[in-house]
Amino acid sequence: MELSPRQETILDIVRREGPITGEHIAERLNLTRATLRPDMAILTMAGLVEARPRVGYYMSNKNRGRLQTEHLRRVRVGDIKSVPVAVMDHCSVYDAAVTMFTEDVGTLFVVREGGILEGVVSRKDFLKVSLGGQDMHKLPVSVIMTRMPNVVVAEPEETVWQAARKIITHAVDALPVVRPVREGEGQTLYEVIGRLSKTNITRLFVELGEGS
Ligand code: ADP
């Protein structure tokens, strides 16, 4: 059901201040109670708001669920991203593995000067190379990484919803959050500005469940 901007505002007032009388809602909006009556009737009939005599309007459980879904659709990657953990492309596999432990992350981003994204390394990449018996002190991390353009990225303006879908579709644990930087021949490079992992999304899920 499509609500008018005024009805959305009323829902917002009831959510924040309910139980609240019709008179107080009208005051907040600088309108008369009579003007508001059709809106209140629609919201009550739709089951989004409930009314009790001498108490006022308050949010129904149906509305609570609707607000949470809307909130989830509105959260952007930029709102919940973490600080990125990156290593330079010439860093050894050994040093990169140590960074993974000290920084306590499961995915490292591999960058060159200017923080430009070159690739991604995860725990499985390290396991694979350790089985091969190569010298991890000599091997640069760029040899074992998943490299551009095969890295799946997210931009801060994207919704978390869309980014979560990418994580599921590509079966990865984290996405570098990037800003496109145009260079020369129309080639697009990506500067790493954050990290979006399954943990960020799980945290959001918990917060929504707790109603914050
Ligand atoms: P783990 O190795 O801890 O299970 P992932 O499932 O994320 O972590 O990684 C599996 C493979 O996918 C690895 O080879 C890794 O390099 C690659 N990978 C990780 N993140 C991305 C990404 N955002 N885009 C493309 N490939 C990725």
Side-chain angles (χ1 to χ4, degrees):
M1 172 187 162
E2 196 67 14
L3 297 180
S4 71
R6 188 156 82 198
Q7 289 159 357
E8 290 284 358
T9 312
I10 296 170
L11 272 188
D12 208 42
I13 294 172
V14 175
R15 182 174 61 82
R16 280 186 283 115
E17 301 180 42
I20 179 168
T21 62
E23 212 163 300
H24 281 125
I25 299 175
E27 262 173 34
R28 297 272 185 290
L29 296 171
N30 277 329
L31 295 168
T32 63
R33 276 199 70 181
T35 319
L36 275 194
R37 211 157 277 140
D39 290 320
M40 296 319 298
I42 288 171
L43 293 173
T44 321
M45 278 190 298
L48 298 172
V49 154
E50 286 178 30
R52 211 176 283 156
R54 283 191 297 279
V55 175
Y57 294 95
Y58 57 94
M59 217 169 74
S60 72
N61 282 336
K62 180 175 170 188
N63 189 15
R64 228 177 283 258
R66 176 179 171 276
L67 285 171
Q68 280 174 347
T69 312
E70 293 227 321
H71 177 57
L72 184 61
R73 290 228 172 92
R74 256 186 246 142
V75 185
R76 311 256 154 204
V77 168
D79 301 331
I80 66 162
K81 68 176 165 50
S82 314
V83 177
V85 180
V87 292
M88 296 299 286
D89 49 359
H90 50 71
C91 171
S92 71
V93 169
Y94 181 88
D95 287 341
V98 170
T99 305
M100 192 172 264
F101 276 104
T102 53
E103 299 288 337
D104 196 18
V105 288
T107 312
L108 292 175
F109 304 136
V110 183
V111 297
R112 64 167 130 111
E113 274 76 33
I116 301 298
L117 181 65
E118 294 272 284
V120 168
V121 268
S122 75
R123 289 168 285 208
K124 246 172 254 147
D125 300 319
F126 287 107
L127 275 180
K128 220 186 294 165
V129 69
S130 71
L131 296 175
Q134 282 143 301
D135 184 351
M136 297 204 198
H137 290 277
K138 295 217 179 97
L139 204 63
V141 74
S142 55
V143 174
I144 68 160
M145 69 187 184
T146 298
R147 62 181 60 244
M148 288 296 278
N150 297 326
V151 178
V152 184
V153 300
E155 294 193 27
E157 300 74 28
E158 246 171 79
T159 63
V160 169
W161 189 271
Q162 289 166 314
R165 192 180 290 131
K166 286 184 188 173
I167 286 182
I168 297 295
T169 310
H170 298 277
V172 293
D173 288 349
L175 306 176
V177 180
V178 298
R179 183 191 298 131
V181 186
R182 285 182 213 291
E183 208 175 66
E185 315 283 288
Q187 193 197 359
T188 305
L189 303 172
Y190 293 102
E191 183 192 349
V192 180
I193 57 167
R195 173 168 60 100
L196 185 83
S197 70
K198 285 181 178 171
T199 306
N200 297 111
I201 295 168
T202 310
R203 197 177 294 129
L204 176 67
F205 181 84
V206 170
E207 282 168 9
L208 282 175
E210 288 171 352
S212 56

